[in-house]
Amino acid sequence: VAQLKEIKVETDLYRAVLTSKGARLKEFYLKKYRSKVDESSPEVNLVTSAAQGGTFAQTGEGDFFVAEQAIYAVDESDTLLRLTGNEEKSLRFSLLLPSGVILQKTYTFNSKNYSVEVDLQVQNATPSDKQGTVSLSLIEDTDKTLTGDIVDDTSAAASLVGDKLRVDTLSALAKEDKTYKKEVFWSGYKRSEE
């Protein structure tokens, strides 16, 4: 039986915290960026408190139903991963659903940049066909305290979905979630400059 566990990832650039509850990213602090010009102000956390329980949540329907509070097994025994130099490390979470479907969510961290790769794999461990859907969502409510009202029509999110680049304003995303039916290879956003 999987146990509730938090794992910290530490690099020279950032500090992240992941939880086995939902296999989610709970915190992502940028060590070289402060929330205000004052050097004693807190580091910027890219996962706001609005993303209760963390971000990168998966949901499912039918044979792929995932309870929001599900505890995933973690393939790492250490509770702290330190990355230095040009290191890259992966952290894999696994969950066996009652339908016999195995979900594996893998986070890959790199010490030389801020990128985090998230991979969700679904495997049918039974001989029977399965029906339903599974989704991976970036749960984020833009933190307006960092630069004032940044959710406007000049701030945008871009995602590579299948072989097409999709661009949406943050103001549109604040009103309605986006769902893509194809594989999302990467996603990011740019805030407007003041």
Side-chain angles (χ1 to χ4, degrees):
V1 174
Q3 296 181 348
L4 183 60
K5 184 176 183 180
E6 284 193 353
I7 297 154
K8 295 178 179 151
V9 177
E10 190 90 30
T11 76
D12 290 340
L13 297 174
Y14 60 84
R15 182 177 66 256
V17 177
L18 296 100
T19 178
S20 60
K21 183 191 281 186
R24 293 169 87 172
L25 178 67
K26 285 180 60 172
E27 298 172 1
F28 196 86
Y29 286 96
L30 305 179
K31 292 181 174 182
K32 297 184 180 197
Y33 294 90
R34 303 286 173 187
S35 59
K36 295 187 169 65
V37 175
D38 181 4
E39 201 155 311
S40 65
S41 67
E43 296 168 336
V44 171
N45 181 8
L46 294 182
V47 181
T48 66
S49 59
Q52 296 174 356
T55 190
F56 296 117
Q58 61 283 344
T59 56
E61 296 176 1
D63 291 323
F64 304 101
F65 174 76
V66 182
E68 188 174 326
Q69 303 299 318
I71 306 296
Y72 285 64
V74 186
D75 70 350
E76 179 62 49
S77 59
D78 292 336
T79 57
L80 177 62
L81 296 177
R82 288 191 196 277
L83 286 79
T84 59
N86 286 330
E87 258 187 301
E88 184 175 280
K89 288 188 180 177
S90 293
L91 183 60
R92 184 174 56 221
F93 296 87
S94 301
L95 178 67
L96 175 62
L97 299 177
S99 63
V101 169
I102 300 170
L103 295 180
Q104 285 189 335
K105 189 190 308 185
T106 304
Y107 292 87
T108 302
F109 299 93
N110 192 309
S111 64
K112 63 183 177 185
N113 60 48
Y114 295 100
S115 67
V116 177
E117 185 178 314
V118 183
D119 181 52
L120 180 64
Q121 295 186 2
V122 180
Q123 177 186 355
N124 182 0
T126 72
S128 62
D129 291 343
K130 303 297 179 195
Q131 293 186 352
T133 60
V134 66
S135 300
L136 180 64
S137 302
L138 175 65
I139 298 175
E140 184 66 30
D141 185 21
T142 306
D143 186 351
K144 294 181 182 179
T145 63
L146 298 178
T147 60
D149 188 7
I150 59 172
V151 180
D152 59 26
D153 287 326
T154 62
S155 300
S159 300
L160 182 60
V161 181
D163 62 352
K164 296 194 185 317
L165 181 65
R166 307 285 184 179
V167 178
D168 297 287
T169 64
L170 293 186
S171 60
L173 292 173
K175 295 175 190 165
E176 180 181 19
D177 292 339
K178 274 287 190 197
T179 302
Y180 298 113
K181 302 290 183 188
K182 293 186 176 184
E183 185 174 7
V184 177
F185 292 100
W186 60 261
S187 188
Y189 69 94
K190 180 184 184 311
R191 296 177 179 176
S192 62
E193 302 296 327
E194 294 201 58

